[in-house]
Structure formats: structure tokens, C-alpha cells
Amino acid sequence: MPEGDTVWNTARVLHRALAGARLTGSDFRVPQLATTDLTGWTVRESTSRGKHLLLRLAAPDDAHWTLHSHLRMDGVWRAYAPGERWSGRPAHLIRVVLRSPGAVAVGYHLHELALVPTAEEDRLAGHLGPDLLGPDWDAAEAVRRLTAHPEQTIGEALLDQRNLAGVGNLYKCEVLFLRGVSPWTPVGAVPDLPGMAALAQRLLAANRGRWTQSTTGSLHRGQTSYVYGRRAQPCRRCGTAIRKQELGERVTYWCPVCQPEHPSDLPPG
Ligand SMILES: [Zn+2]
């Protein structure tokens, strides 16, 4: 699942493949960019902000532009050597191909694909809260934004990218387990929000540079999470069956014993 660390890794892959290169061709397969041709444009850098990917380019007239994309649940960028077989996904999912002398970058099932002046990047990513993996991570500002809506459940607040950028469903579930907080707890009743934000930042940072996401320290299959994806399996701490239930738009996983504030009238997950 693409969370902040996955997007950060993807940005690095694209940066290694394309930064400094002059594009020899482009092929956009989305209506809004169907007539766009980036041939002759130079890739300045690839970076991420929260879950948004920002590929910064210089046009032949040296104007600076940003190709924005979002992976949501299913998007992926791959970089291939010239002539290498594209093995990422079925061809009908390709949304853009960028060719350079040294690499071909292929974006599959990308969302919110847009080309905007770099000076206007904030139109697409400016609403985001502090980026957990950004150079400007600001824990105090993240806490300030979280506490602005004290009645919201912490499970929903952690996913709201306007509060802090980069947490997806996996890290949400895992952070709440590790802090012993029920996902249904109102933000205003959560003890030590700064500690929770700091833990989220550490977990994402620990998974930078690899594609396996682990919050337990183990990279073995089936042992990489405490609660996420473990419905009905025993809690690694207390042995109670992990529960799963809808919370807002996403399912959430939790241990009813280790995260005790869960309302008692909810049916067992
Ligand atoms: Zn437990």
C-alpha cells in the first residue's frame, strides 16, 4: 500500500533514473495531457510531499514545471533500462512514459496527473500538513493541526493529510496499537499527541529505502505488523483476537484489550 515511505522511495527511484537527463520522448495516456510533449525537457529532480510525487522539469525555454502524480491505492512508477521489458503492470494501465538516454520511466494507474508551473505546486500539495519525511517536518505544527478538531476520532485524524502528510491506513493502525490508543478515541482525549506524531515519523523513516513495510522490526512475511491485516489472529502482546471494522472510509484493525477505549456496543470484528 503506498504510504509516505513508499512514495518517498518512488521519488528516489525516479530521481536516480532521470535527474539531470534530457527527455528524448514522452507519451501521456490521459486526456488532460494527451497533446503534451516533453521531448527536450530536462528533469531537474524528483521529490515527494506526503503521498504526492513531484517531478520537477525545465522546459527548453528554462521555465520550471512540475509533473504531479498521486499513487492513491494502486498507482506505481517503474524505471527500466532502455530496451528492458516493461514488467510492471498491464499495458492498459500505463498513464505516462518518459524516455531518456539512460532510462525509461513508466507510470501505471497514476492519479491526479497534472503539469503545473513549479511556482504553483502548492495548488496541488499546499493544503498538506507537515510531511513526516520532508526536510521541513514540523512536529509542533502537526500537533497543532490535529488538536484543531478535538472531536474527530484519532483514527480519522491521522489519515487526514491536512494534519500531517504521509500516514496511510497501515501506519495509522500500527501507531495506535503501539500507543495503546483506540482508533475511536476523540483527538481531544488522546494522551501525548506529540509522542504519537513522533512515533509515526520514526516508523515511516525506518522504512525508507526498502519496499517491505515493517513496524515490528521483522521483515519476515506475516510478521511485519502488529494489527494491520491480522483480523482474528492473536495479538502479539496479549493473545486477544485482533478486530477489524470500518472507520470512516477505511477499515481499521485494533486489539480491544491493548487499545481499550473502544465503545462496548460495537459488534465483534
Ligand atoms: Zn493485545
Side-chain angles (χ1 to χ4, degrees):
M1 164 168 310
E3 307 209 20
D5 54 340
T6 306
V7 180
W8 190 94
N9 288 343
T10 300
R12 197 166 68 158
V13 166
L14 288 176
H15 189 82
R16 282 180 179 162
L18 295 177
R22 185 178 293 263
L23 297 178
T24 55
S26 70
D27 178 7
F28 286 95
R29 303 183 188 176
V30 291
Q32 70 272 25
L33 292 173
T35 60
T36 300
D37 181 2
L38 301 183
T39 302
W41 291 44
T42 301
V43 178
R44 297 167 53 226
E45 63 177 342
S46 166
T47 188
S48 62
R49 179 157 176 77
K51 296 198 259 183
H52 297 247
L53 276 161
L54 305 169
L55 188 70
R56 296 184 177 135
L57 304 147
D61 64 1
D62 206 33
H64 287 184
W65 292 79
T66 297
L67 182 64
H68 169 274
S69 59
H70 198 291
L71 304 181
R72 289 207 198 143
M73 306 297 277
D74 45 10
V76 63
W77 276 96
R78 290 286 166 80
Y80 303 105
E84 183 183 351
R85 187 170 159 270
W86 299 353
S87 53
R89 297 282 170 88
H92 73 270
L93 294 178
I94 293 174
R95 298 293 178 262
V96 59
V97 180
L98 301 175
R99 299 175 188 277
S100 76
V104 183
V106 182
Y108 300 89
H109 219 151
L110 301 175
H111 304 269
E112 301 173 37
L113 201 57
L115 187 65
V116 299
T118 297
E120 296 174 24
E121 260 178 22
D122 276 1
R123 277 205 286 129
L124 299 166
H127 62 289
L128 298 174
D131 180 0
L132 286 152
L133 296 180
D136 54 348
W137 164 240
D138 182 344
E141 173 64 11
V143 169
R144 190 191 68 75
R145 289 176 179 232
L146 285 167
T147 49
H149 302 284
E151 296 85 22
Q152 192 177 25
T153 67
I154 186 66
E156 289 174 296
L158 287 175
L159 288 179
D160 189 334
Q161 304 295 302
R162 293 169 296 187
N163 291 331
L164 66 181
V167 171
N169 210 22
L170 180 150
Y171 288 109
K172 174 204 79 179
C173 295
E174 296 293 292
V175 165
L176 291 173
F177 172 81
L178 287 164
R179 301 293 299 184
V181 173
S182 159
W184 283 270
T185 307
V187 168
V190 173
D192 193 13
L193 278 172
M196 184 169 285
L199 175 62
Q201 200 278 335
R202 285 202 302 278
L203 288 178
L204 263 80
N207 283 303
R208 272 184 306 200
R210 65 180 183 222
W211 298 102
T212 302
Q213 295 169 311
S214 173
T215 55
T216 60
S218 171
L219 296 177
H220 293 290
R221 190 178 176 84
Q223 295 175 26
T224 56
S225 69
Y226 286 102
V227 293
Y228 185 81
R230 299 192 64 242
R231 180 185 180 175
Q233 295 181 50
C235 173
R236 298 191 194 282
R237 281 195 177 149
C238 73
T240 303
I242 299 300
R243 290 189 187 179
K244 171 187 176 183
Q245 189 162 313
E246 305 289 327
L247 172 62
E249 295 178 357
R250 309 279 196 97
V251 297
T252 199
Y253 297 86
W254 81 103
C255 170
V257 173
C258 295
Q259 300 165 259
E261 290 170 65
H262 176 53
S264 58
D265 58 346
L266 286 168

